[in-house]
Amino acid sequence: MKFCMRSIIVVAGLFLGLPLPGAGMSMEELQSFLAGYRTNPCPAKVSAILRDVADLCDGKPTSVAPMAGFFGRVFKDNAAHAPEWRSAVSGLTKGAFRTALEQELDGKLKLPASGTDFPPELLDYCWGAYMASGDLALVDRVVDCALAPRPENGLNLSAMTASWSVRSFAASDDNVRRRLNERLKKADDASVLAFFESPANPETLKTVCDPDLAERVNRLVEQKPKNPVEEAEWRVGRGDLTGALAALERAPTNDWRMCYAIGDFYGTHAALPTNRAERLHCWMDRAYQMADGDWKRKVASRCASGLCIRRYGYPEDWHSARLWLHRAADSGSAY
């Protein structure tokens, strides 16, 4: 299967940060090599590009793990080239990337044998190795992490990061998509719901899920107790503006965070009524009056920014803008 451009962007863009190419291969040539290696393996070219990849990784710690995963898998699958590669690696500038490659050549860098609490660099390592090999066992490791139990009333950042990464790859890689669907269909309801982080975006479900799985996720989200803002977001995503507004009307108003979220909702959604600027101001005012300290400043700066710059599609209200600018200044913002 040919890697599509989105996969190239995910790996080369997010992991490498799209820096300038090295002195040998151009950025386009290097991206093409990395993205196409799995379907057109060419280990004889690895020595020639290590210098360019090292230049890309220099000073960018987040790029080391995926590239170590990529080349580590190439090293593992083509042991006969080891002397040639060891010579090429020894000529690189000393740093994290060279150290990682040396450890890979010595077989010292390995994924943990068990456990699902992956730091982001290990997730990146898995995807780099997958790009080189197409080994779906590596996808399973990421999915294991993504489906790890969430603590009650808390966050599992490793699981959230893994969920995001596997959804991104599934949207552009048919093999990852198929494996993810296989795993999710066998998972329990709580794990599936947590994986998509309610409210589930309809476009995400369309690009990542088989129809029967998407229907299951929709049903689970609709059954899940949600706060009013979550429900409103869910209903707007499905074109139910009346239901979204009804959900906001049920929102409690004794917590400034909820008031802030409602105001932000009105400021963000262009599909809401034409008086949404007035409603934004109303809810932000409530949040401002109840908040204190640094949060009061953030509320004031947020509303001043919305009224003065982005305007969210409604005409400027200079009276309100002046009010919020003064409030932002009074609360200590240099905005």
Side-chain angles (χ1 to χ4, degrees):
M1 185 209 58
K2 185 177 180 180
F3 245 79
C4 73
M5 182 56 69
R6 184 167 178 179
S7 290
I8 298 174
I9 293 172
V10 167
V11 176
L14 293 179
F15 294 158
L16 297 182
L18 289 179
L20 294 174
M25 301 180 78
S26 70
M27 173 63 76
E28 291 74 18
E29 290 170 329
L30 187 53
Q31 287 179 346
S32 178
F33 176 88
L34 295 173
Y37 182 91
R38 180 174 57 186
T39 54
N40 183 30
C42 38
K45 294 184 179 180
V46 169
S47 293
I49 72 165
L50 283 176
R51 173 70 269 168
D52 297 275
V53 175
D55 288 342
L56 292 171
C57 292
D58 185 35
K60 299 175 179 62
T62 56
S63 68
V64 172
M67 290 298 96
F70 181 95
F71 289 106
R73 187 55 187 252
V74 173
F75 296 164
K76 178 180 178 181
D77 293 344
N78 301 274
H81 289 266
E84 171 195 350
W85 291 331
R86 195 174 294 277
S87 176
V89 169
S90 66
L92 301 178
T93 302
K94 288 187 177 181
F97 182 61
R98 172 177 164 176
T99 299
L101 294 185
E102 289 172 341
Q103 291 177 322
E104 290 288 353
L105 285 166
D106 293 336
K108 294 180 179 179
L109 275 185
K110 297 180 181 179
L111 288 172
S114 61
T116 55
D117 189 16
F118 277 26
E121 57 269 21
L122 276 182
L123 296 174
D124 295 351
Y125 182 97
C126 282
W127 289 124
Y130 173 74
M131 282 187 68
S133 65
D135 185 355
L136 290 174
L138 293 159
V139 177
D140 285 336
R141 299 302 302 274
V142 180
V143 176
D144 286 342
C145 182
L147 294 178
R150 269 65 164 176
E152 186 175 356
N153 299 320
L155 297 175
N156 183 333
L157 295 180
S158 293
M160 292 174 65
T161 304
S163 173
W164 174 86
S165 73
V166 76
R167 292 198 312 266
S168 296
F169 269 87
S172 59
D173 186 313
D174 290 340
N175 291 330
V176 174
R177 188 182 193 278
R178 282 192 290 269
R179 180 55 64 95
L180 176 61
N181 276 266
E182 291 172 4
R183 295 292 308 277
L184 289 176
K185 289 175 183 179
K186 296 177 182 178
D188 60 72
D189 288 350
S191 297
V192 171
L193 189 60
F195 178 87
F196 285 100
E197 301 166 16
S198 173
N201 185 297
E203 284 302 312
T204 298
L205 297 183
K206 181 179 178 181
T207 57
V208 171
C209 297
D210 292 343
D212 56 338
L213 179 60
E215 181 180 351
R216 178 187 175 194
V217 174
N218 276 324
R219 183 178 68 254
L220 291 173
V221 173
E222 288 183 311
Q223 294 171 350
K224 177 182 179 291
K226 297 179 282 293
N227 70 48
V229 176
E230 281 184 327
E231 182 175 346
E233 292 276 10
W234 169 254
R235 294 188 180 280
V236 166
R238 282 146 186 79
D240 182 10
L241 185 58
T242 301
L245 295 175
L248 290 183
E249 291 298 323
R250 296 195 300 272
T253 59
N254 59 347
D255 186 336
W256 74 265
R257 294 173 183 82
M258 181 60 70
C259 294
Y260 179 90
I262 296 171
D264 188 62
F265 184 91
Y266 275 109
T268 301
H269 290 286
L272 292 170
T274 54
N275 65 338
R276 64 196 178 98
E278 178 183 337
R279 298 191 183 194
L280 179 151
H281 177 82
C282 174
W283 286 104
M284 286 294 192
D285 185 65
R286 294 187 190 186
Y288 178 80
Q289 298 300 337
M290 287 189 283
D292 56 20
D294 191 51
W295 283 108
K296 186 179 286 288
R297 177 186 63 79
K298 291 180 180 180
V299 171
S301 297
R302 168 69 170 76
C303 204
S305 173
L307 287 167
C308 295
I309 300 176
R310 291 186 291 271
R311 302 193 304 279
Y312 303 105
Y314 50 74
E316 298 93 331
D317 177 351
W318 294 114
H319 173 76
S320 296
R322 284 195 300 271
L323 169 65
W324 283 107
L325 284 169
H326 280 294
R327 283 180 169 178
D330 291 343
S331 58
S333 174
Y335 180 88

